[in-house]
Amino acid sequence: MQNKALGLISVAAIPGLVLGVVFSLLLLLAPAKSLASCGSTTSVAFSAGTEVEGYTVEQLKNAAAIMGAGKALDLSVKGQMISVMVSLGESGLRVLDYGDGPGPDSRGLFQQRDNGAWGSYADRMDPTISATNFIKALQKVEGWELLEPTLAGNKVQRNADPYHYQKYWPEAVKLVQALSDGKFSLEGSDCAIPGKTGAGDDYPWKDSPTWVQIGANDASTSPLNFYYRECVDFALWRVNQQMGSTGEPFKFLNGSFRPDGQRLGSAVTWKSGWDAKGWPTGSVPRVGSVVWYAPGTGGADPTYGHVAVVKEVKDDGTYVEEGYNGNPPPDDHNYYTRTVSSDVPSAFLYLPTQEEK
């Protein structure tokens, strides 16, 4: 086995092993889960005594009106959250009777323009009607439930910055949960939320032995067809998780990720794998995107390179990455996080529903 190169960004990714032909065929032929099943709509539970820290009664009433409009249109809970998120980003959940520089004729919760597409002035100023019109437009966006929430909202609003709404997503989730008639969670559902990277070290096979511990000849592979606790296995777990595939049979595997029949392989070939699949890449970190280090870049292994996942993007030109096999022995096959300058990696590999601004 090769030696590990230790540096700022460490480490080798071991090429994935080939599973038995029969087992591979079973995985490939097994029925896949629907990625568009985002949970049933939730009903509103709002009364005079309802309180959510940081929000006025007016804002809560407006959020409830948006959720109610979604319920009437059988909108999924993710759609209700997206609708509240967009209103937070456009008006702060207030019915505004004025616009802004780019849209001086914008009005209401969603700052809808006076262009005929959003009804009359009274319609745009009515919380329920304006929300209904927004939701109907959202439902016409092909594949909207598979989009990152901010991108789904932007397909309707056409904001100059498609990531404008991203910072409002956590508050939208909090509000919909607080105003719903029952507790729910998007975790473990088939609702794809690219950009939602999980809660720390939630890698399912963290206690499995590594090839270093038991030897490559005796080591088994994860359900994703990589050695356990390698950087590539963790990164592909995050890809599956964000695309709504959180249990066996997983949608994206080492052996079937690429459409050309080649394996996704060790970290060194991940960029070419993304290109072969037609998925976007770029130089800007996005939460949930895969960080790709070419061999020797930033201290990565000179032969195999390294992959990780963007956990957080900061305003100072850095980002926080998470991954496995990024520490020197004896912690080399454990979870890690660290802050890295955005110009260090060779590229960022986006999910198909992400894009570079």
Side-chain angles (χ1 to χ4, degrees), residues 46-205:
F46 178 78
S47 65
T50 301
E51 294 183 356
V52 178
E53 184 177 359
Y55 294 92
T56 66
V57 173
E58 175 199 3
Q59 289 173 302
L60 295 180
K61 285 182 178 179
N62 290 332
I66 294 170
M67 291 171 60
K71 174 69 174 178
L73 293 172
D74 198 28
L75 186 69
S76 68
V77 66
K78 181 183 178 183
Q80 289 173 303
M81 291 175 175
I82 289 173
S83 302
V84 172
M85 173 194 70
V86 169
S87 182
L88 278 167
E90 292 290 350
S91 67
L93 285 173
R94 295 179 175 87
V95 181
L96 301 181
D97 196 15
Y98 56 86
D100 56 14
D105 58 347
S106 299
R107 295 292 185 273
L109 285 176
F110 293 88
Q111 287 291 278
Q112 292 161 334
R113 303 292 299 272
D114 185 17
N115 56 13
W118 306 106
S120 65
Y121 168 80
D123 291 338
R124 291 181 290 140
M125 293 294 289
D126 184 285
T128 298
I129 296 176
S130 62
T132 298
N133 288 334
F134 170 83
I135 292 165
K136 286 181 177 179
L138 176 66
Q139 291 175 321
K140 292 178 181 178
V141 175
E142 183 177 358
W144 69 266
E145 288 187 306
L146 299 182
L147 291 174
E148 189 172 348
T150 183
L151 298 182
N154 188 65
K155 293 292 184 182
V156 177
Q157 299 296 100
R158 301 295 179 183
N159 194 291
D161 177 7
Y163 288 87
H164 169 71
Y165 306 106
Q166 188 173 51
K167 61 185 177 182
Y168 301 102
W169 175 250
E171 288 299 303
V173 173
K174 180 178 80 172
L175 283 165
V176 172
Q177 288 178 323
L179 299 177
S180 68
D181 63 350
K183 298 301 180 183
F184 60 87
S185 174
L186 295 178
E187 293 293 335
S189 73
D190 292 333
C191 186
I193 310 179
K196 185 175 178 58
T197 62
D201 187 10
D202 59 359
Y203 175 67
W205 311 290

Side-chain angles (χ1 to χ4, degrees), residues 8-9 282-287 289-293 297 310 312-321 338-348 350 356:
L8 170 65
I9 307 297
S283 58
V284 177
R286 294 286 179 216
V287 173
S289 61
V290 173
V291 188
W292 182 65
Y293 297 96
T297 301
V310 177
E312 177 186 355
V313 178
K314 297 180 176 291
D315 295 330
D316 60 358
T318 65
Y319 68 92
V320 177
E321 76 175 31
R338 61 180 160 224
T339 300
V340 184
S341 176
S342 298
D343 59 1
V344 171
S346 304
F348 295 95
Y350 305 130
E356 183 174 6

Side-chain angles (χ1 to χ4, degrees), residues 4-18:
K4 308 288 185 184
L6 304 178
L8 170 65
I9 307 297
S10 60
V11 292
I14 307 300
L17 296 181
V18 180

